[in-house]
Amino acid sequence: MNANAERHAVETRQLAKTYADPGKKGVVHALEGLDLECRYGEIYGLLGPNGAGKSTTLRILATMLAPSAGSALVDGVDVAREPLEVRRRIGFLSATTGLYQRLSPRETLQYFGALHGMPKERLEERIAELFDAFRMHDFADRRCEHLSSGQKQRTSIARAVLHDPPVLILDEPTTGLDILATGDMIEFIEARRDSRRCVLFSTHVLSEAERLCDRIGVIHRGRLLASGTLDELRAMTGETWLDGVFRALVKNAQGRAPAPFEEGAPA
Amino acid sequence: MTVPGRGMRPGSTPNPQANLWRRALVTVARGELRRLLRDRKAILLAVLVPMLSYPALMYGSQRLGQISQRQIEEREVRVGVDLSALPSGLLDDVRARLAQVGSGVRFEDLDLADVVQAAARGPLDGAVRTRAEERLKDDLDGLLVAWLNGAAPVSMARDAEANGGAVLIDRDRAAHRVALVFHRASEDGLGVSAQVLGPLRQLADELESRALANGLGDDPALAFAFEARDVAPPEDSKGLALGRFLPLIAVVVLLSGGAFAALDAFAGEREQGTLETLLVQPVPTWVLAWGKFSVVLATALAAWISNVASLLITIEVGLFELPDGAAAGGLDAGRTLVAGVVFLPTVVLMAAALCFLAARARTFREGQHYLLPATLIAVALASPAMAADVKLDYLLALVPIMGPSLALRDAFAGVLAWPAALTAFAASLGWAALALSRITRTLDAERLLQAPAPKGLDPAGDAARRSLRVGLVSVAAVYIAGGALQSWDLVAGLTLTLWVLVLGLALYLGYANRRAFGGSLARALALVKSSGQTSSALSTLGWVSAGLLAGPALTQVGRFILEQQSRFLPLPSGGAAEGLMGTLAELSLPALLVLFALSPGITEELLFRGAILRGLAIDRGRVLPALFTQAALFAAMHASIHRFAITFALGVVLGALTLRSGTVFAAIALHTSYNAVAVLADRLPSVDFGHPLWWLGVLPLLVRLR
């Protein structure tokens, strides 16, 4: 249904976000004119250091924050104009996402399914499907507070794809996970690659990006420095490994862009 | 800034959509409730433990009642006396006894023939009550009447019959009866009974035993039967006794019962990391917020109802005795209903307030910290209902929690003044509606998702925290060190306190905060605008003159506040200021003005409106909380419960003036002028600072503020 070749899965135009901060000369510019394009059928990695604006971008795309300027379309729907429609078309998961401690995985999925307005029978079918896919039957009715971190992880993932969204937005999904859980997550992301779907995820782990991403966008201080396949980025910078590519791009950018943050005033 | 989806209301959406949202709201509420009910520990602590602790609470409140009884015994009351029916010997005995009663009771001889006649006709019949109540309204708090015991033989015969024929000695033998009539539902009535009842009862006993000693039936004319007649109907006495402390219990129970639901629904959601997930569901924010709010409201109501039930059972079982004379038995259903309805909007308001508080907290624990001050404020607002002589009027009716609390008390006591009660009801509906209209904001993602900056990297946040700390230290330092200095030598102590302690704290805080203000001490002290702009000398002069002119009007506002407050918190007689002026009579007027007007004007303003307010207000533009926090600190520094309201109001006015004008000079001028009026009013009694024309002095300020 979404396999429209003309349309991007995610598209932002001159996206900007400023936070009010009277302590530091009025405002902080978290994003300054970001242009991003992600296609259906691809896994897109947003790469950048802490504070680069990755989370802000993904939160705007997930309609949690409103853009200060510019526009963003998700699955062809404008985040500012039809946020509820956008929310029906995305799954969102971040490193800090938690679970209701006193609900079981089954109840969690039932709760969010109901919020999505899924009909009861369809919801139960879908939950059974997900329990199969993520091997969750053993702990489906145990309270989340008693689950292992891997089990929690699988519950969170199942929750994010419960309504089978065309666009999946993952904000640093592997941060804080142990090796096994990280492996599960990477396998899951790979398994989501599908001609009618798109996965957009942010990370600062270069190896993940190298392994998973069809295309990579490098973001720094609220701007997209470069975007393309790993090979294209290599060609662009003349570096072989992603960390070299990344360093080269950042160094290049720092040479020409003024720092958006004022350092502490001299005492 | 707007979170998409906000502002939509059920009425404005098409029907299928509305249905969808209603279902989502129920889903949210049910989810909240399910998680809540699974938290056994919380339920135990928030609902069961309070319910079970009523016996202890009742015991404690009875002890408190004994303390207030002592206060009642010191009340000044007027008692009308008509003892013309007593023979002279007996009259002298009674008079002698009355003379021993404390000086708080004034006896006045009156012609109370109508009450006497009514009283003689029978015990506590309708006629006595009506007659007596008419008299008691008449600025009298009690009536002491005597009559000839014409009904004695009949009564004695009936008693003899009832006792199996044996004629017992009883008071009906006495030829005279004396009755003390009072209304228990008023504090003054209680004061009369506490002070007069005892001595007269004692006299009656003594006379009776003297009569016994002299032989049965020797001279009944020399004894009298004494009785106390409470003209308050029993349901009034009981209703008042309950109604006086029900508002307080209501406030505490509602807050503690609802708190755990609110913390779980808002702060807990943030702490667990489920909030993000919730905010990306295809459901408008208002649906989520209302779903959560409805659970908080339901929990608060459930706690309240179960607690009232427990309270009533405690009373019925007899663990708690209502004040003597107030008979046990069911409460009047109609009164209970009225009281419940009058208080309902307040329940909604408090549930909404809990949601706001909980939504501000990042963690459960942080939320609990917010709870104590909130509870104290609510208790303070509800507590005037404890005093039976604080009357519900239109002004108090407007105050949230306080108006409905007074109305609830009066409803139980059966003395509800309907116009004022309806005002209280309407006003509290308004407050509740205002709170509800903002419920959606509790889930404002823009605010909730802003992560706190780490320490050191956030000069604004550091400055705000430091300002609060220094503010608290200032309060303690001025209270302890300043108090000690001034008791040593008033003039030197005050000078030292203001120019060394207060000014020193202001300079220290400004210096420590300067990094948040681009390194400028002048900006940190609000001597120049926060943008760093220096205002022109002319503009500053304009602010100063405007501030000076507005002082007398502000004094009038202060006097109004004190007048209103004195209705439930009377000022101690012989105001502190008068005594102060007396001891300083030898100082010249200019010296007084410098010491009491200019010095506090400059130093206190630099500390509170300069350093502290600037420092507090810089953090993420939280201007209103900053304004009220510094006012509270300023009021606390004055260390007087009687002056808290007035100094708090003064702090708000001066703070708002500083925020609007950009610098602290206007506040310095206004503070100086305000204090100067107090000094001048004492020294120049010919000037009438209460004249309405002084209000013209506010005009320049209003023009400048526009």
Side-chain angles (χ1 to χ4, degrees), chain B residues 362 452-456 458-471 509 513 615-616 619-620:
Chain B
R362 278 180 291 269
K455 228 185 150 193
D458 176 20
D462 292 345
R465 281 185 288 273
R466 188 185 300 116
S467 302
L468 184 62
R469 273 202 310 274
V470 171
L509 182 58
N513 277 353
L616 287 173
D619 185 27
R620 293 185 184 84

Short mmCIF file of all heavy atoms in Angstrom, two decimals, chain B residues 362 452-456 458-471 509 513 615-616 619-620:
data_model
loop_
_atom_site.label_atom_id
_atom_site.label_comp_id
_atom_site.label_asym_id
_atom_site.label_seq_id
_atom_site.Cartn_x
_atom_site.Cartn_y
_atom_site.Cartn_z
N ARG B 362 10.28 14.48 37.94
CA ARG B 362 10.88 13.53 37.02
C ARG B 362 10.83 12.12 37.60
O ARG B 362 10.87 11.16 36.87
CB ARG B 362 12.33 13.93 36.73
CG ARG B 362 12.44 14.99 35.66
CD ARG B 362 13.89 15.34 35.42
NE ARG B 362 14.44 16.04 36.57
CZ ARG B 362 14.43 17.37 36.68
NH1 ARG B 362 13.93 18.10 35.73
NH2 ARG B 362 14.94 17.95 37.75
N PRO B 452 17.49 17.59 31.91
CA PRO B 452 18.21 18.57 32.72
C PRO B 452 19.69 18.58 32.33
O PRO B 452 20.28 17.52 32.11
CB PRO B 452 18.02 18.06 34.14
CG PRO B 452 17.75 16.61 33.99
CD PRO B 452 17.09 16.41 32.67
N ALA B 453 20.26 19.76 32.23
CA ALA B 453 21.66 19.85 31.86
C ALA B 453 22.51 19.42 33.05
O ALA B 453 22.15 19.62 34.20
CB ALA B 453 22.00 21.27 31.46
N PRO B 454 23.64 18.77 32.79
CA PRO B 454 24.51 18.37 33.90
C PRO B 454 25.05 19.59 34.65
O PRO B 454 25.15 20.68 34.08
CB PRO B 454 25.63 17.61 33.20
CG PRO B 454 25.57 18.02 31.78
CD PRO B 454 24.16 18.38 31.48
N LYS B 455 25.36 19.37 35.90
CA LYS B 455 25.84 20.47 36.75
C LYS B 455 27.14 21.05 36.21
O LYS B 455 27.96 20.33 35.64
CB LYS B 455 26.07 19.95 38.17
CG LYS B 455 25.45 20.85 39.21
CD LYS B 455 25.77 20.40 40.61
CE LYS B 455 25.79 21.62 41.49
NZ LYS B 455 26.35 21.41 42.78
N GLY B 456 27.32 22.32 36.39
CA GLY B 456 28.54 22.95 35.92
C GLY B 456 28.41 23.44 34.49
O GLY B 456 28.92 24.49 34.15
N ASP B 458 25.59 24.18 33.28
CA ASP B 458 24.32 24.86 33.25
C ASP B 458 24.34 26.01 34.26
O ASP B 458 23.79 25.91 35.34
CB ASP B 458 23.22 23.84 33.60
CG ASP B 458 21.85 24.48 33.70
OD1 ASP B 458 21.67 25.58 33.15
OD2 ASP B 458 20.97 23.87 34.33
N PRO B 459 25.01 27.12 33.91
CA PRO B 459 25.16 28.21 34.88
C PRO B 459 23.81 28.73 35.34
O PRO B 459 23.65 29.10 36.51
CB PRO B 459 25.91 29.30 34.09
CG PRO B 459 26.37 28.67 32.84
CD PRO B 459 25.60 27.42 32.61
N ALA B 460 22.82 28.73 34.45
CA ALA B 460 21.50 29.24 34.83
C ALA B 460 20.89 28.38 35.93
O ALA B 460 20.41 28.88 36.94
CB ALA B 460 20.58 29.30 33.62
N GLY B 461 20.91 27.07 35.70
CA GLY B 461 20.36 26.16 36.69
C GLY B 461 21.12 26.25 38.01
O GLY B 461 20.53 26.28 39.09
N ASP B 462 22.46 26.33 37.91
CA ASP B 462 23.27 26.47 39.12
C ASP B 462 22.89 27.74 39.88
O ASP B 462 22.75 27.73 41.10
CB ASP B 462 24.76 26.54 38.75
CG ASP B 462 25.25 25.21 38.21
OD1 ASP B 462 24.53 24.21 38.39
OD2 ASP B 462 26.33 25.19 37.61
N ALA B 463 22.74 28.83 39.12
CA ALA B 463 22.40 30.10 39.76
C ALA B 463 21.06 30.01 40.47
O ALA B 463 20.91 30.49 41.59
CB ALA B 463 22.38 31.22 38.71
N ALA B 464 20.11 29.36 39.82
CA ALA B 464 18.78 29.24 40.42
C ALA B 464 18.85 28.43 41.71
O ALA B 464 18.28 28.82 42.73
CB ALA B 464 17.82 28.58 39.43
N ARG B 465 19.57 27.31 41.65
CA ARG B 465 19.67 26.48 42.85
C ARG B 465 20.40 27.22 43.97
O ARG B 465 20.00 27.19 45.13
CB ARG B 465 20.39 25.17 42.52
CG ARG B 465 19.50 24.16 41.82
CD ARG B 465 20.23 22.85 41.62
NE ARG B 465 21.25 22.93 40.61
CZ ARG B 465 21.02 22.74 39.30
NH1 ARG B 465 19.80 22.46 38.88
NH2 ARG B 465 21.98 22.84 38.42
N ARG B 466 21.46 27.91 43.59
CA ARG B 466 22.23 28.65 44.59
C ARG B 466 21.37 29.75 45.21
O ARG B 466 21.41 29.97 46.43
CB ARG B 466 23.48 29.25 43.95
CG ARG B 466 24.43 29.86 44.96
CD ARG B 466 25.62 30.55 44.30
NE ARG B 466 26.42 29.66 43.48
CZ ARG B 466 26.56 29.77 42.15
NH1 ARG B 466 25.93 30.75 41.51
NH2 ARG B 466 27.30 28.93 41.47
N SER B 467 20.58 30.41 44.40
CA SER B 467 19.75 31.50 44.91
C SER B 467 18.77 30.98 45.95
O SER B 467 18.53 31.63 46.97
CB SER B 467 18.97 32.15 43.76
OG SER B 467 19.87 32.62 42.80
N LEU B 468 18.21 29.82 45.67
CA LEU B 468 17.27 29.25 46.64
C LEU B 468 18.00 28.92 47.95
O LEU B 468 17.51 29.23 49.04
CB LEU B 468 16.62 27.99 46.06
CG LEU B 468 15.54 27.35 46.94
CD1 LEU B 468 14.40 28.33 47.15
CD2 LEU B 468 15.03 26.06 46.33
N ARG B 469 19.18 28.32 47.81
CA ARG B 469 19.95 27.97 49.01
C ARG B 469 20.28 29.21 49.83
O ARG B 469 20.03 29.27 51.03
CB ARG B 469 21.26 27.27 48.61
CG ARG B 469 21.15 25.78 48.43
CD ARG B 469 22.52 25.13 48.56
NE ARG B 469 23.54 25.76 47.75
CZ ARG B 469 23.78 25.45 46.47
NH1 ARG B 469 23.05 24.53 45.87
NH2 ARG B 469 24.72 26.06 45.79
N VAL B 470 20.82 30.23 49.14
CA VAL B 470 21.20 31.44 49.85
C VAL B 470 19.96 32.11 50.45
O VAL B 470 20.01 32.66 51.55
CB VAL B 470 21.96 32.40 48.91
CG1 VAL B 470 22.16 33.75 49.57
CG2 VAL B 470 23.29 31.80 48.52
N GLY B 471 18.85 32.02 49.73
CA GLY B 471 17.61 32.59 50.26
C GLY B 471 17.23 31.94 51.59
O GLY B 471 16.90 32.63 52.56
N LEU B 509 25.81 36.52 46.80
CA LEU B 509 25.01 35.76 45.84
C LEU B 509 25.19 36.33 44.43
O LEU B 509 25.35 35.59 43.46
CB LEU B 509 23.53 35.79 46.24
CG LEU B 509 22.58 34.99 45.34
CD1 LEU B 509 23.00 33.53 45.28
CD2 LEU B 509 21.15 35.10 45.83
N ASN B 513 26.73 34.25 41.39
CA ASN B 513 25.86 34.00 40.23
C ASN B 513 26.35 34.67 38.96
O ASN B 513 25.74 34.49 37.92
CB ASN B 513 24.44 34.50 40.53
CG ASN B 513 23.63 33.49 41.33
OD1 ASN B 513 24.08 32.38 41.54
ND2 ASN B 513 22.45 33.90 41.75
N GLY B 615 18.33 35.48 40.22
CA GLY B 615 18.93 34.15 40.14
C GLY B 615 17.90 33.06 39.94
O GLY B 615 18.08 32.15 39.13
N LEU B 616 16.77 33.19 40.64
CA LEU B 616 15.72 32.18 40.50
C LEU B 616 15.07 32.24 39.13
O LEU B 616 14.75 31.22 38.53
CB LEU B 616 14.65 32.38 41.58
CG LEU B 616 15.00 32.01 43.01
CD1 LEU B 616 13.88 32.45 43.94
CD2 LEU B 616 15.21 30.51 43.14
N ASP B 619 16.44 30.57 35.43
CA ASP B 619 16.45 29.17 35.04
C ASP B 619 15.26 28.85 34.14
O ASP B 619 14.14 28.73 34.61
CB ASP B 619 16.42 28.28 36.28
CG ASP B 619 16.54 26.82 35.90
OD1 ASP B 619 17.14 26.54 34.85
OD2 ASP B 619 16.04 25.98 36.66
N ARG B 620 15.50 28.68 32.89
CA ARG B 620 14.49 28.28 31.91
C ARG B 620 13.24 29.15 32.01
O ARG B 620 12.12 28.68 31.84
CB ARG B 620 14.12 26.82 32.08
CG ARG B 620 15.28 25.94 31.72
CD ARG B 620 14.97 24.49 31.74
NE ARG B 620 16.20 23.75 31.47
CZ ARG B 620 17.07 23.45 32.40
NH1 ARG B 620 16.86 23.81 33.63
NH2 ARG B 620 18.16 22.80 32.09
#
